[in-house]
Amino acid sequence: MDYTCSLPSESYIFAEAQLNETQSTRETSLGELSTWISENPELNVERDAVHLLYFLRGAKFNVDKAKDKIKRYYRMRAERSEWFTNRNPFHPELDELLKIGVCFPLRERDEHNRLVVVIRTGAHNPRKHTQNNVFKVCKMLIDLAIRADESISIFGVSAVLDMTGVTLGHALQLKPTLIKRTVACWETYPCRARRLEFVNAPAHVNVVLNIFRSFMSAKLKERVFVTKGLPKNNENLPANLGGHGPSYQELAVYWRKTAQESAEWFAQNEQYKMTLAAP
């Protein structure tokens, strides 16, 4: 499988030191995955080399672990049709959520070169918007971000969950089953979640946050931080979070336009999901 090195040399130095990646392991592992995918067509895997490297780098080039993650990811895409089908950015509710700005990846990286994704958990109206559609929009934009920047497969993602404005209505949308599915998605997604920071969290959401923790692996629990104030040491954060970056509204405008320009890609990408056996 062809792969052209296009990242700065510093990225590959980091990948070798932290992820066990060398040119030899990369070529051998991509070849093994390609053969395996050909022998398992029911997986319906997107076979682009960079896409597959997300799984290999996330598994530190343990090919068996990468295969397991691919199976879990493509099964999830089939089972969670509420998140991975009908991802039309012009759909009225999805377009409204894009206008509101419930989620947006930042264009500048943090001090660890990670993608930062801001999720505004209290921005939508729980009487009008379903939580599944909020999650769908978040995944749509994260997919666009990781598709556009391969370095995310090496350095990972930090999420800042701004809980400003969260009400009981928002909390009631998060049933335990939905929380369990959400955590499973975080741990299955191609990009690695390196830090989850809940900020501006009102006291009454502690019960919900504890349910989130109960479904997390030990490793993910260690990456969760809850603070009353604003995240520190990142001047690229939006002005709304005390940084010097674009405002929430500016980011919402940018990502709504980007999503609309990607409508054809979203429609085409829906084909990639495991073929589930008939009951």
Side-chain angles (χ1 to χ4, degrees):
M1 180 176 292
D2 292 334
Y3 171 75
T4 301
C5 296
S6 58
L7 297 173
S9 59
E10 292 81 3
S11 297
Y12 294 105
I13 292 171
F14 181 93
E16 181 172 359
Q18 301 295 326
L19 307 178
N20 304 318
E21 178 173 353
T22 65
Q23 181 177 346
S24 176
T25 59
R26 184 170 58 239
E27 291 175 356
T28 301
S29 300
L30 282 172
E32 187 173 339
L33 278 189
S34 181
T35 299
W36 174 72
I37 291 167
S38 296
E39 293 171 348
N40 294 274
E42 73 281 359
L43 293 174
N44 293 334
V45 174
E46 188 176 358
R47 298 183 64 164
D48 175 78
V50 172
H51 178 68
L52 296 181
L53 280 171
Y54 268 90
F55 297 97
L56 286 167
R57 287 166 174 159
K60 296 189 176 180
F61 280 81
N62 181 316
V63 176
D64 287 336
K65 288 184 178 179
K67 289 177 181 178
D68 178 67
K69 193 164 187 177
I70 288 171
K71 286 190 289 186
R72 288 188 289 116
Y73 175 67
Y74 281 92
R75 174 176 287 278
M76 179 184 68
R77 285 180 62 96
E79 292 178 340
R80 300 275 70 80
S81 59
E82 65 270 27
W83 298 341
F84 294 103
T85 60
N86 302 317
R87 304 206 300 175
N88 178 4
F90 293 100
H91 181 279
E93 184 172 350
L94 301 187
D95 184 49
E96 187 170 358
L97 291 169
L98 287 165
K99 285 182 183 177
I100 292 169
V102 294
C103 169
F104 21 71
L106 302 188
R107 284 170 279 177
E108 299 294 333
R109 302 294 178 253
D110 71 6
E111 66 271 25
H112 302 292
N113 291 321
R114 299 169 185 160
L115 171 71
V116 179
V117 178
V118 175
I119 301 170
R120 300 175 63 208
T121 57
H124 69 283
N125 184 342
R127 296 181 180 178
K128 293 176 57 180
H129 309 122
T130 69
Q131 190 65 56
N132 277 324
N133 275 338
V134 172
F135 287 159
K136 179 186 287 191
V137 166
C138 290
K139 289 164 181 49
M140 288 168 65
L141 298 187
I142 291 171
D143 284 353
L144 291 181
I146 66 177
R147 174 173 172 253
D149 185 356
E150 182 191 345
S151 71
I152 298 166
S153 67
I154 294 175
F155 298 106
V157 176
S158 289
V160 176
L161 295 98
D162 182 1
M163 305 192 78
T164 300
V166 169
T167 65
L168 180 61
H170 292 103
L172 291 174
Q173 285 189 311
L174 293 168
K175 307 297 184 186
T177 299
L178 183 55
I179 292 174
K180 182 177 181 180
R181 290 172 177 173
T182 301
V183 172
C185 183
W186 288 346
E187 297 189 333
T188 303
Y189 232 67
C191 53
R192 295 179 299 152
R194 304 296 296 163
R195 183 180 180 92
L196 301 173
E197 186 159 8
F198 293 82
V199 301
N200 303 321
H204 66 264
V205 301
N206 283 338
V207 173
V208 175
L209 292 179
N210 286 336
I211 297 173
F212 268 97
R213 287 192 185 94
S214 71
F215 292 118
M216 292 179 180
S217 66
K219 182 181 291 186
L220 189 58
K221 285 179 183 177
E222 293 175 354
R223 298 174 179 175
V224 174
F225 300 86
V226 181
T227 60
K228 292 182 180 179
L230 300 173
K232 307 297 183 183
N233 304 322
N234 193 340
E235 64 179 13
N236 295 322
L237 286 171
N240 308 71
L241 287 173
H244 301 293
S247 69
Y248 282 170
Q249 186 55 41
E250 290 173 309
L251 288 162
V253 168
Y254 171 83
W255 281 108
R256 179 180 179 234
K257 180 175 183 289
T258 301
Q260 290 176 342
E261 291 172 346
S262 305
E264 185 176 342
W265 179 82
F266 284 125
Q268 186 271 341
N269 186 253
E270 285 189 20
Q271 67 181 291
Y272 298 114
K273 57 187 175 183
M274 182 181 289
T275 302
L276 298 177

